[in-house]
Amino acid sequence: MNSERYRARGVSPQKEDVHAALRDADRGLFPQAFCKLMPDVLGRDAGQVLAMHADGAGTKAALAYVAWREWGDAAVFRGIAQDALVMNIDDLLCVGATGPFLLSNTIGRNARLVPGEVLGALLAGYDDACAAYAGWGLAVHATGGETADVGDLVRTLIVDATVTTRLPRDAVVSNADVKPGDVIIGLASDGQAAWEREPNSGIGSNGLTSARHDLLHADYARRYPESCEPELPAHLRYCGPYHLHDPLPGSTLSVGRALLSPTRSYAPLLKPLLDGRRGLISALVHCTGGGQTKCRHAGRGVHYVKDSPFPPPALFHAIREVTGTPWAELYQVFNMGHRMEVIGDAALLPALEELGREHHIAVRQVGHCEANTDPARNRVTITAPDGELVTYE
Amino acid sequence: MNSERYRARGVSPQKEDVHAALRDADRGLFPQAFCKLMPDVLGRDAGQVLAMHADGAGTKAALAYVAWREWGDAAVFRGIAQDALVMNIDDLLCVGATGPFLLSNTIGRNARLVPGEVLGALLAGYDDACAAYAGWGLAVHATGGETADVGDLVRTLIVDATVTTRLPRDAVVSNADVKPGDVIIGLASDGQAAWEREPNSGIGSNGLTSARHDLLHADYARRYPESCEPELPAHLRYCGPYHLHDPLPGSTLSVGRALLSPTRSYAPLLKPLLDGRRGLISALVHCTGGGQTKCRHAGRGVHYVKDSPFPPPALFHAIREVTGTPWAELYQVFNMGHRMEVIGDAALLPALEELGREHHIAVRQVGHCEANTDPARNRVTITAPDGELVTYE
């Protein structure tokens, strides 16, 4: 993996040092669950567990800043709020939580560059996303937050969200009991879901540092030096062929709209699944940081064989074309076609296919689980579009 | 107020545009309470309310970065974690919450500049601060958090915390009912509390952008350009006379240690006060952003007469000496001597004096409340050390 390229961009590819710093951290009541779960110390109910979860829109905010300056419309920041919220709620769906949720948002900005108009669009975006979740039967209550003026820390703006929820202990999806024979079902990250106003590129909120710099033209480094680290060498900084308005090959979207596609929530599929078929689910995996290798943290002694993944959406194809990045790296940074994975009984497939048809989200069995040769460790094998077998262990 | 100086530094002095963006935001069950309070949507107990609160260490993190690079000891970041946590818990103490609390931490960093050693010190600092709160009878449970590598957004690092808690509805300090005749009691921000390892300058986590640039020498702009906005004009950027190791006039601390004094918690005084004398309290005000004018949001038709404030601690004196900033601005940006204010019945004074003696924190009556001439608005008058009367309305 070309980790020096990441490091030079101020990103640690596998966050090894973060994991080292957290080595001794308590992993909670269900150590393999997708989010840390704690005893209900607030309500003191032994039948309930609590989760508090944090995530954000990451460097997608810098791209939204550039697009806002180019296009003159702050509405692009509504999508950034959606990114920050969905990154949290869809993680929490993976432990079986379906709300109510409490949302707190944190914005750090350079007040010289980022005016109230942008804050207004972010808050409106949170409102819109909360309303969408309400429509799918998940209550998300905004509790306020903090907007800090920290121009000495933040070049443009950083957008984070934290979500608290409680759920019955017996409703937890623990991700501990993945079995040989379990199917792996992918929920597509691209296409146009029933509620989406335009097609979604599928990118979500991961890998945006790479995707932005590798695809976009050096013009943006000149026009908006504040949108990236100024010390980046020229060959790593906006070193791509595209401008925001250029059409994305193989897509009806422009490159800019594709990179800014708001992160899709899978709540409309997962909520009814959790309500009706929780017992069939072995694991739920939100394929964010770590991409298609993220399932490695579920179960033990499992070989995840993904022999039928979705064909990579156009945006990931473009990244491969432009950068020549090998499959092994692409599958580790981007979701490459499905950002949510349901692992469990084969009977889940027709149920999810039905929900997918209803909500216009492609659903397919992307693979299955086998016993790994090493019973203490997990392994992932992905069949790339050209037939190459990519293995992680 | 010299607001252009703030704006040029990427700070909006009174966050007017933030307040405008939030104009229509729901203020919760107790609209004047120091933090937003919500119905208990998690536990569905009508006798309980929930709060979720976010705050951070702000630009103090950039100063810690400089000190770490100069001194070679990452332990300075332990204080930054304490800053982020105390800014939250002490805000929540002001609504009457005494825990249990759930803590989530968010760190955004440039992984090229900020290694795992710094993350380790921050996490250790959170652990230390949680242990200190436990010793004072407040349970703070760490739920994990998010460390994002976002070098394109963050020059060095940004450290934020979010805290969730629940409390009985009848324990809420609503800050709504301040009465003429109420006393205003200040809890000193400087000195050395019983548990502090060195004297505290009193600065807390507010006004650090100003204090840092106005006191520190231009050498730091040359050595650590990543510790501030590079576009800042030279006369605003590290434009002071001091180096970190220089003695602070009138103090045993160096300028660097004084600027980095970790934010003191007032829990050891407020917890027993809330347990035993809650009924005597009209309002609790954490004098953070807005400094000594922050009480303006409590009560209605009140004239806050602060005719006997603490003498300004040495660090604030130094800022006044170096910058010539008028009192009216200093009292609005810095706490100037007490960072916590207890407003209510005169019988609170001997109780707090007793607790202050026990914990080595100076306590004094700094003023009293009168009926304001305009019954719909509040007013604050502060008697500065030279006798000048400073008024805010």
Side-chain angles (χ1 to χ4, degrees):
Chain A
M1 171 159 201
N2 189 355
S3 59
E4 284 319 304
R5 196 168 167 92
Y6 289 85
R7 253 179 260 284
R9 283 180 174 150
V11 175
S12 63
Q14 298 301 310
K15 290 194 183 177
E16 303 85 349
D17 62 342
V18 178
H19 295 302
L22 288 169
R23 201 178 45 235
D24 302 325
D26 170 25
R27 301 189 59 81
L29 293 172
F30 297 87
Q32 292 193 274
F34 199 79
C35 307
K36 182 174 173 181
L37 294 167
M38 323 208 8
D40 178 19
V41 295
L42 298 184
R44 296 192 186 81
D45 182 336
Q48 300 278 330
V49 299
L50 284 173
M52 192 168 174
H53 197 65
D55 210 333
T59 58
K60 206 166 175 175
L63 181 64
Y65 172 86
V66 169
W68 164 59
R69 294 285 304 272
E70 287 279 303
W71 298 337
D73 184 359
V76 69
F77 284 101
R78 290 188 175 224
I80 295 299
Q82 178 176 330
D83 291 319
L85 184 58
V86 173
M87 288 293 283
N88 278 285
I89 301 284
D90 282 32
D91 275 2
L92 287 164
L93 281 163
C94 289
V95 299
T98 55
F101 300 98
L102 297 177
L103 159 68
S104 173
N105 82 82
T106 303
I107 301 168
R109 65 160 177 169
N110 184 330
R112 198 173 59 75
L113 298 175
V114 176
E117 174 193 13
V118 170
L119 304 178
L122 286 167
L123 298 177
Y126 280 116
D127 285 349
D128 288 352
C130 289
Y133 277 114
W136 300 321
L138 288 81
V140 184
H141 301 273
T143 67
E146 166 74 1
T147 296
D149 293 338
V150 285
D152 279 340
L153 299 183
V154 173
R155 305 180 204 282
T156 52
L157 78 167
I158 185 166
V159 177
D160 287 308
T162 305
V163 172
T164 306
T165 194
R166 193 171 94 133
L167 67 158
R169 189 183 277 255
D170 59 16
V172 168
V173 175
S174 72
N175 281 14
D177 303 313
V178 179
K179 302 172 296 295
D182 277 351
V183 298
I184 309 173
I185 301 164
L187 312 185
S189 56
D190 67 335
Q192 184 169 358
W195 62 89
E196 288 174 329
R197 289 192 206 104
E198 66 177 19
N200 196 310
S201 72
I203 191 158
S205 303
N206 282 98
L208 263 296
T209 300
S210 296
R212 203 169 97 258
H213 285 301
D214 286 334
L215 290 182
L216 295 182
H217 193 276
D219 282 349
Y220 298 107
R222 280 191 291 276
R223 284 188 218 154
Y224 309 105
E226 68 274 26
S227 72
C228 63
E229 199 183 347
E231 295 81 11
L232 283 186
H235 71 283
L236 295 176
R237 186 176 58 185
Y238 293 121
C239 49
Y242 294 113
H243 288 89
L244 292 179
H245 55 74
D246 286 335
L248 175 68
S251 164
T252 59
L253 292 167
S254 67
V255 171
R257 300 300 305 178
L259 286 169
L260 283 164
S261 276
T263 308
R264 167 186 295 170
S265 175
Y266 295 100
L269 280 70
L270 294 183
K271 171 73 161 77
L273 200 73
L274 287 165
D275 286 347
R277 288 177 172 82
R278 197 174 298 235
L280 301 178
I281 301 170
S282 302
L284 293 172
V285 178
H286 192 190
C287 308
T288 53
Q292 287 303 325
T293 71
K294 199 141 193 174
C295 53
R296 266 192 297 189
H297 304 294
R300 177 187 278 254
V302 180
H303 182 191
Y304 293 91
V305 181
K306 301 187 183 178
D307 50 11
S308 184
F310 283 99
L315 185 58
F316 304 124
H317 255 306
I319 292 167
R320 182 171 150 86
E321 286 288 310
V322 164
T323 61
T325 306
W327 293 116
E329 187 171 328
L330 288 171
Y331 279 108
Q332 209 164 6
V333 175
F334 302 105
N335 67 68
M336 298 299 283
H338 70 272
R339 221 190 68 244
M340 185 61 75
E341 212 159 70
V342 180
I343 299 166
D345 193 281
L348 289 164
L349 186 60
L352 277 165
E353 284 173 337
E354 175 67 31
L355 287 161
R357 273 190 294 274
E358 181 186 340
H359 294 287
H360 304 185
I361 292 181
V363 171
R364 74 191 279 174
Q365 182 177 344
V366 297
H368 64 280
C369 300
E370 300 178 356
N372 193 20
T373 44
D374 180 347
R377 298 177 64 202
N378 295 331
R379 184 182 191 190
V380 183
T381 305
I382 302 169
T383 307
D386 59 9
E388 183 186 333
L389 285 183
V390 186
T391 297
Y392 307 87
E393 44 196 334
Chain B
M1 171 157 202
N2 190 355
S3 59
E4 284 320 305
R5 196 168 168 91
Y6 290 84
R7 251 178 262 282
R9 283 178 174 152
V11 175
S12 62
Q14 299 300 310
K15 291 194 182 176
E16 303 85 348
D17 61 342
V18 178
H19 295 303
L22 288 168
R23 199 179 45 234
D24 301 325
D26 170 25
R27 301 190 59 80
L29 293 171
F30 297 86
Q32 292 193 274
F34 200 78
C35 306
K36 181 175 173 182
L37 294 167
M38 323 209 7
D40 177 19
V41 294
L42 298 184
R44 296 191 186 82
D45 182 335
Q48 300 278 331
V49 298
L50 285 173
M52 192 169 175
H53 195 67
D55 210 334
T59 58
K60 206 167 175 176
L63 181 63
Y65 172 86
V66 169
W68 165 59
R69 294 286 303 273
E70 287 280 302
W71 298 337
D73 184 358
V76 69
F77 284 102
R78 291 187 175 224
I80 295 298
Q82 178 176 329
D83 291 317
L85 183 58
V86 173
M87 288 294 282
N88 277 285
I89 301 283
D90 281 33
D91 274 2
L92 287 164
L93 281 163
C94 290
V95 299
T98 55
F101 300 97
L102 298 178
L103 160 68
S104 173
N105 82 80
T106 304
I107 301 168
R109 65 161 176 168
N110 183 331
R112 197 172 60 75
L113 298 175
V114 176
E117 174 193 14
V118 170
L119 303 180
L122 286 167
L123 297 178
Y126 279 117
D127 285 348
D128 289 351
C130 289
Y133 276 115
W136 301 320
L138 287 81
V140 184
H141 302 274
T143 67
E146 167 74 0
T147 297
D149 292 339
V150 285
D152 279 340
L153 299 182
V154 173
R155 306 180 203 282
T156 52
L157 78 168
I158 184 165
V159 178
D160 287 307
T162 305
V163 173
T164 306
T165 194
R166 193 172 92 134
L167 66 156
R169 187 182 280 256
D170 59 16
V172 168
V173 176
S174 72
N175 281 13
D177 303 312
V178 179
K179 301 172 297 292
D182 278 350
V183 298
I184 308 173
I185 302 164
L187 312 186
S189 57
D190 68 336
Q192 185 170 358
W195 63 88
E196 288 173 330
R197 291 193 205 104
E198 66 176 20
N200 196 311
S201 72
I203 191 158
S205 303
N206 282 97
L208 262 297
T209 300
S210 296
R212 202 168 98 261
H213 285 300
D214 285 335
L215 290 182
L216 295 182
H217 194 275
D219 282 349
Y220 299 107
R222 280 191 291 276
R223 283 189 219 154
Y224 309 105
E226 68 273 28
S227 73
C228 63
E229 198 183 349
E231 295 80 9
L232 282 186
H235 72 281
L236 295 176
R237 185 176 60 186
Y238 293 120
C239 48
Y242 295 112
H243 288 89
L244 291 179
H245 54 75
D246 287 334
L248 175 68
S251 164
T252 59
L253 293 167
S254 67
V255 171
R257 301 300 305 179
L259 286 170
L260 283 164
S261 277
T263 307
R264 166 186 296 169
S265 175
Y266 295 102
L269 281 70
L270 294 184
K271 170 75 161 76
L273 200 73
L274 287 165
D275 287 347
R277 290 180 171 80
R278 198 174 298 236
L280 301 178
I281 300 169
S282 301
L284 293 172
V285 178
H286 192 189
C287 309
T288 52
Q292 286 303 326
T293 71
K294 199 141 190 173
C295 55
R296 264 192 296 188
H297 303 295
R300 177 186 278 253
V302 181
H303 182 191
Y304 293 92
V305 180
K306 301 187 184 178
D307 49 11
S308 183
F310 283 100
L315 185 59
F316 304 124
H317 255 307
I319 292 167
R320 182 172 149 86
E321 286 288 311
V322 165
T323 60
T325 306
W327 293 116
E329 187 171 328
L330 289 170
Y331 278 108
Q332 210 164 6
V333 174
F334 302 105
N335 68 67
M336 298 299 283
H338 70 273
R339 218 189 72 244
M340 185 61 74
E341 212 159 70
V342 180
I343 299 166
D345 192 282
L348 290 164
L349 187 59
L352 277 165
E353 284 172 336
E354 175 67 30
L355 287 162
R357 273 190 296 274
E358 180 186 342
H359 295 287
H360 305 184
I361 290 180
V363 170
R364 74 190 280 174
Q365 182 178 345
V366 298
H368 64 279
C369 300
E370 300 178 355
N372 193 20
T373 43
D374 180 347
R377 298 178 63 203
N378 295 330
R379 185 181 189 190
V380 183
T381 304
I382 303 168
T383 308
D386 59 9
E388 183 187 331
L389 286 183
V390 186
T391 297
Y392 307 87
E393 47 195 333

